[in-house]
Amino acid sequence: MILKKTEENSDTIMQSNISIDLKAKNNSSARKTPTKRTITEWSQPSRPFVSIPWSTNTARTPRPARTQRPSQPRLSSEAFLKHRENPKKRTLEEMKKLVKKGEVPVRVFGLWGLEEVGINMTVIEYQDEIIVVDAGLQFASFDMHGVDYIIPDISYLLAKKKNIKGIFITHGHLDHIGAIKNIIGDLNYPVIYTTPLALGLIKKSLDDKDLKNLRYKLVDPDIDIVKLGNFLIEFFHVNHSIPEAMGLAIHTPKGVIVHSWDFKIDFIPAIDKPADLGKISRIGQEGVKLYLGESTNARVPGHTPSEKVIGENIKKVINMYSRKRIVVSTFASNIGRIIQIIESAVRQNRVIFLAGRSMINNIQLCQELGYITVPKEMIRQVSGEIDQLPDERVMILCTGSQGEEFSALVRMATNQFKDFTLKPDDVVIFSSHTIPGNEKAVGALMNNLVDLGIELVDDPSLDLHTSGHAYQEDMKEMMALLKPEYFSPIHGEALMRHTHKKIAMDMKIPEENILLPKNGQIIEMYDEVVLPSEKRLKLDTVMIDGKGQGHLSGEYVMKAREIMAEEGVVALIFKIDTKTKELVGNIQIESRGFVYSSEVKSIHTQIINFAKNKYLDNNRKRMDTKENLRNIKETLGEHITNIIGRVPMLMIMYVYINREAMVEPENTDDSVVGMTIEEQGGEHEITEA
Ligand SMILES: [Zn+2]
């Protein structure tokens, strides 16, 4: 065994091709290794086999009497029929009894990613050591007003950041690396273990400070082993829609955890090598206690088609339109596909023009790493140069296949793209499927394109897209090789995970050995058993708004934005005499998106009259000012509902006026100008934001 790096005392990366002897840690009673037997010599049957020639008179064949072979053992297929036995189902109570007194388990939990596709992050903890697998984001859905994306809630890790031994990144997709830029500094820059492509993509997302502090170690999944305290981590190569994807085999004091995350098994991948089934099988042979397997395509039968086949189809389509200018739109993250498109285009002597920031960044990185080897001058950014080349020498490769608002293709379709204008007869190829929820945006995009006279190619029968995620048969293959004792379907919504559970049960994994935790729910691994814990971390929704500067935790902000978006906003400003608490002048009112202009005057007047009468009434009852305004807010909502049938966002603000001095009062607690009640220490209410 050669030590590759020994920068930390116990935490090392080793290069090795030897098998790891951790069997002692996988000696659970539930995994019974069959007693080995050695067949040393061929035992001569008491009677040689008799061959029966075709069309012979069988009556002549001597049939030995039973009594002639008393010592012959009865032929039996016992070993092959064993799987038909239905072992007794263990109850949770019986399983709990297998936990030794005072035994400390290995704890495994997903901070998110177990109730949705995306925002993936797994934590594995033993005593005071933690390792983390991936840290992804999820783009906000259309009803999350103003939010860009969501990241995992790392409060648990913040409290234990000194225990984090490392973050392992399985591949470079945003739902696995996208949160790193938001959390890495807060976690004191734990070492990131990953491959060059994922590291390159992470680096592109970081600001200067994070880049300076970033600590990382590159791993080669074929040969490297990382030792971090009680954990020993091996890697195995898998296929996906991006090269350099890998799964992890994490050896822990309580057994081996295999974490496959995004994978498919592709025997003829386009630019990668096939998944390392040999190594996966070896890991399975040595004993896997718990397998965490992705469930995205659990409902899709068959094997995931190879990217190479898709590449061939794209090549055919490009050839079909050999005289026309072609625009191809696909996911910037689908690097395997992009490389194939570029190679096909260059073979046709087309120059590739890139549009979309993520497309440009990712292709630059692939050129740096050697994945794209076509001459540099054949790949350029979109510019006026396009019009100087004949149509058959141009291909535009762009983002926007999901109809994203400011994406390159959407801007082209609405003639808002600088430096390039689509013209009738251009061909636009969609090499991507529409993600559920984006149908409307994609429909609008396609309508705009055909209105411009563009020829669209998105016929699914052309198979221009394949998934990077395992279909059912790939899942079964992985399960068959790993032969896990316990299984937890991850990465997916409830339906996907439950379907994956059924697949595992079909493959004879006992139902009680399959765990379906929710986000934050903890799995506990003991020597003899793996159990769902009653403990569950309370996770917040951490939304990133704008340029990732502000974390918006909780539902209040969302709720407020939802009300403002749907019902509008009304603000009332009360001017109150400092001493007498009488109203000074009229209550001012402002509203936005509330009612049509023809109704504004009448409805504003009704609101002011109601608020004024209520204030005077409460004041007569000697109600405290803040209490008075809170009461107005509560009753005004009902009053507005009576007028227009709905409630807008209400903001009640007040200003104290010192009429004696006729100057603005000192900035004391009681003289804050222009703040809402809540900002002055009121209760936390929806209307705070
Ligand atoms: Zn992925």
Side-chain angles (χ1 to χ4, degrees):
M1 185 176 287
I2 309 152
L3 285 185
K4 189 180 168 193
K5 291 175 186 168
T6 51
E7 289 167 25
E8 289 155 58
N9 288 343
S10 61
D11 304 345
T12 53
I13 290 192
M14 296 170 275
Q15 285 190 345
S16 168
N17 55 5
I18 60 160
S19 138
I20 300 160
D21 184 16
L22 285 177
K23 288 196 181 77
K25 292 173 180 173
N26 293 311
N27 59 352
S28 150
S29 62
R31 173 180 280 277
K32 292 270 187 260
T33 313
T35 316
K36 280 189 182 159
R37 63 173 183 182
T38 312
I39 298 171
T40 49
E41 61 181 67
W42 173 252
S43 26
Q44 182 68 28
S46 59
R47 188 182 66 86
F49 290 113
V50 179
S51 71
I52 303 172
W54 296 107
S55 67
T56 190
N57 182 354
T58 51
R60 284 186 194 170
T61 312
R63 179 187 284 268
R66 277 170 189 250
T67 48
Q68 285 178 301
R69 295 186 289 121
S71 59
Q72 176 72 3
R74 192 175 71 85
L75 281 176
S76 166
S77 292
E78 193 186 349
F80 297 92
L81 289 167
K82 243 183 186 157
H83 77 280
R84 290 192 181 179
E85 290 167 15
N86 259 340
K88 190 179 163 290
K89 197 174 166 183
R90 295 184 296 172
T91 65
L92 190 59
E93 286 314 308
E94 285 168 341
M95 290 167 83
K96 278 182 182 170
K97 282 184 189 152
L98 296 171
V99 177
K100 293 169 205 152
K101 203 163 173 251
E103 189 180 353
V104 179
V106 168
R107 289 147 51 97
V108 183
F109 51 94
L111 285 180
W112 273 75
L114 297 174
E115 294 168 50
E116 57 277 301
V117 175
I119 197 171
N120 299 296
M121 193 168 190
T122 303
V123 177
I124 298 168
E125 182 178 33
Y126 180 65
Q127 293 175 336
D128 57 355
E129 294 173 349
I130 287 176
I131 57 171
V132 175
V133 186
D134 290 355
L137 61 74
Q138 185 184 43
F139 286 107
S141 55
F142 67 95
D143 54 349
M144 294 182 149
H145 306 281
V147 173
D148 294 332
Y149 55 92
I150 317 168
I151 60 166
D153 178 0
I154 56 161
S155 314
Y156 183 85
L157 293 177
L158 287 175
K160 296 191 171 194
K161 57 183 153 190
K162 66 174 193 332
N163 295 353
I164 301 174
K165 308 289 284 181
I167 299 183
F168 290 81
I169 299 294
T170 59
H171 66 286
H173 279 159
L174 286 176
D175 56 338
H176 295 261
I177 62 168
I180 289 178
K181 63 178 181 291
N182 302 97
I183 65 167
I184 196 78
D186 293 341
L187 294 178
N188 277 353
Y189 303 97
V191 179
I192 291 178
Y193 295 84
T194 191
T195 55
L197 181 56
L199 181 73
L201 292 165
I202 290 168
K203 280 183 166 180
K204 281 196 183 287
S205 72
L206 299 181
D207 61 22
D208 291 344
K209 180 178 170 242
D210 287 344
L211 269 176
K212 205 169 133 243
N213 291 306
L214 184 71
R215 295 191 295 154
Y216 64 86
K217 285 180 182 176
L218 288 174
V219 295
D220 177 343
D222 290 346
I223 51 176
D224 284 331
I225 295 166
V226 176
K227 169 117 181 59
L228 296 176
N230 274 294
F231 299 111
L232 193 141
I233 299 99
E234 283 187 277
F235 312 88
F236 54 86
H237 173 66
V238 291
N239 301 112
H240 191 33
S241 52
I242 186 168
E244 300 182 12
M246 60 185 184
L248 310 175
I250 303 157
H251 299 253
T252 79
K254 302 293 171 186
V256 174
I257 302 167
V258 168
H259 201 325
S260 77
W261 250 332
D262 298 9
F263 81 95
K264 71 177 187 183
I265 295 167
D266 195 340
F267 294 114
I268 46 161
I271 46 161
D272 223 355
K273 52 187 178 182
D276 193 348
L277 297 189
K279 189 166 185 182
I280 296 168
S281 168
R282 194 220 81 213
I283 291 165
Q285 287 293 325
E286 289 178 357
V288 173
K289 184 82 159 269
L290 173 65
Y291 167 42
L292 309 173
E294 76 135 323
S295 313
T296 324
N297 280 333
R299 288 167 56 75
V300 188
H303 277 290
T304 321
S306 168
E307 273 289 335
K308 188 152 196 163
V309 175
I310 308 303
E312 294 294 322
N313 289 347
I314 289 174
K315 198 158 75 186
K316 278 184 212 153
V317 176
I318 294 174
N319 288 341
M320 247 161 69
Y321 297 100
S322 59
R323 303 212 161 274
K324 295 194 175 191
R325 200 160 67 166
I326 294 177
V327 178
V328 181
S329 172
T330 190
F331 298 109
S333 59
N334 196 337
I335 285 170
R337 174 90 39 91
I338 289 169
I339 294 170
Q340 292 192 83
I341 292 168
I342 289 175
E343 284 173 355
S344 298
V346 170
R347 243 174 262 132
Q348 265 202 5
N349 202 24
R350 285 181 191 260
V351 178
I352 294 112
F353 293 90
L354 307 176
R357 194 167 45 90
S358 51
M359 188 67 84
I360 294 165
N361 278 344
N362 290 2
I363 289 176
Q364 266 173 0
L365 182 60
C366 286
Q367 285 176 308
E368 284 164 27
L369 293 174
Y371 279 104
I372 294 176
T373 52
V374 302
K376 278 209 160 133
E377 65 276 12
M378 295 301 278
I379 303 179
R380 306 170 197 180
Q381 290 193 25
V382 166
S383 70
E385 272 183 286
I386 292 178
D387 294 327
Q388 290 155 22
L389 285 168
D391 286 355
E392 64 267 24
R393 291 224 42 217
V394 173
M395 175 188 277
I396 291 120
L397 188 52
C398 65
T399 54
S401 61
Q402 301 302 304
E404 304 95 313
E405 198 178 350
F406 300 109
S407 62
L409 189 57
V410 167
R411 282 182 289 147
M412 286 176 198
T414 48
N415 282 333
Q416 292 172 37
F417 195 82
K418 222 174 98 208
D419 299 329
F420 171 68
T421 313
L422 282 166
K423 62 178 186 195
D425 251 22
D426 283 346
V427 177
V428 173
I429 300 174
F430 281 77
S431 182
S432 56
H433 70 293
T434 302
I435 293 173
N438 294 343
E439 295 87 350
K440 219 172 158 186
V442 174
L445 167 63
M446 289 182 170
N447 285 333
N448 284 337
L449 288 169
V450 291
D451 272 350
L452 291 174
I454 305 297
E455 185 161 355
L456 287 188
V457 184
D458 76 318
D459 184 349
S461 65
L462 288 169
D463 259 348
L464 297 179
H465 178 79
T466 182
S467 178
H469 299 272
Y471 288 5
Q472 286 178 354
E473 296 308 310
D474 298 44
M475 289 176 175
K476 288 176 191 167
E477 208 162 324
M478 186 64 92
M479 197 90 70
L481 293 174
L482 291 174
K483 295 190 288 266
E485 194 183 331
Y486 291 84
F487 171 57
S488 181
I490 57 165
H491 199 294
E493 295 162 8
L495 186 57
M496 301 164 183
R497 294 176 70 212
H498 277 271
T499 313
H500 202 182
K501 174 182 171 173
K502 277 194 189 139
I503 292 171
M505 285 168 68
D506 285 346
M507 295 191 72
K508 302 292 174 194
I509 296 188
E511 188 173 6
E512 65 270 26
N513 287 19
I514 303 175
L515 299 105
L516 276 169
K518 302 264 187 197
N519 290 333
Q521 227 166 352
I522 296 166
I523 293 176
E524 293 181 340
M525 280 175 63
Y526 296 93
D527 282 334
E528 300 296 333
V529 72
V530 177
L531 295 170
S533 162
E534 276 121 43
K535 294 175 207 113
R536 181 174 181 183
L537 304 180
K538 194 180 170 303
L539 298 178
D540 207 350
T541 310
V542 183
M543 293 167 271
I544 304 296
D545 203 338
K547 296 209 169 205
Q549 299 305 314
H551 286 216
L552 308 175
S553 291
E555 300 298 318
Y556 295 110
V557 175
M558 274 309 94
K559 193 74 197 157
R561 286 184 184 181
E562 195 183 312
I563 295 170
M564 282 193 281
E566 287 169 13
E567 314 295 353
V569 56
V570 173
L572 295 179
I573 304 162
F574 291 72
K575 283 168 279 178
I576 300 166
D577 184 89
T578 317
K579 275 200 170 160
T580 64
K581 307 293 185 231
E582 283 168 6
L583 284 176
V584 181
N586 279 332
I587 298 170
Q588 274 177 269
I589 183 165
E590 288 286 338
S591 74
R592 295 288 182 275
F594 173 46
V595 281
Y596 295 109
S597 53
S598 57
E599 306 167 300
V600 166
K601 202 172 173 190
S602 133
I603 294 173
H604 276 193
T605 309
Q606 290 181 65
I607 291 172
I608 288 171
N609 288 342
F610 177 88
K612 190 175 176 182
N613 290 335
K614 197 81 192 164
Y615 183 88
L616 296 175
D617 203 24
N618 287 341
N619 211 21
R620 271 195 293 276
K621 292 177 194 162
R622 300 189 177 278
M623 199 182 271
D624 168 75
T625 303
K626 283 182 185 173
E627 190 56 37
N628 187 346
L629 294 173
R630 190 172 290 123
N631 177 262
I632 291 171
K633 195 170 169 181
E634 282 163 10
T635 49
L636 186 59
E638 202 182 324
H639 181 69
I640 296 175
T641 310
N642 290 337
I643 306 172
I644 62 165
R646 53 192 170 80
V647 193
M649 154 83 68
L650 284 175
M651 291 174 72
I652 309 279
M653 295 178 273
Y654 64 99
V655 183
Y656 278 129
I657 305 282
N658 187 345
R659 279 191 289 193
E660 279 178 12
M662 284 310 285
V663 290
E664 283 203 352
E666 289 295 305
N667 190 18
T668 64
D669 273 358
D670 249 3
S671 59
V672 181
V673 176
M675 290 180 78
T676 64
I677 296 169
E678 290 76 23
E679 282 166 334
Q680 293 179 59
E683 282 168 25
H684 198 66
E685 290 178 36
I686 284 171
T687 45
E688 180 198 15

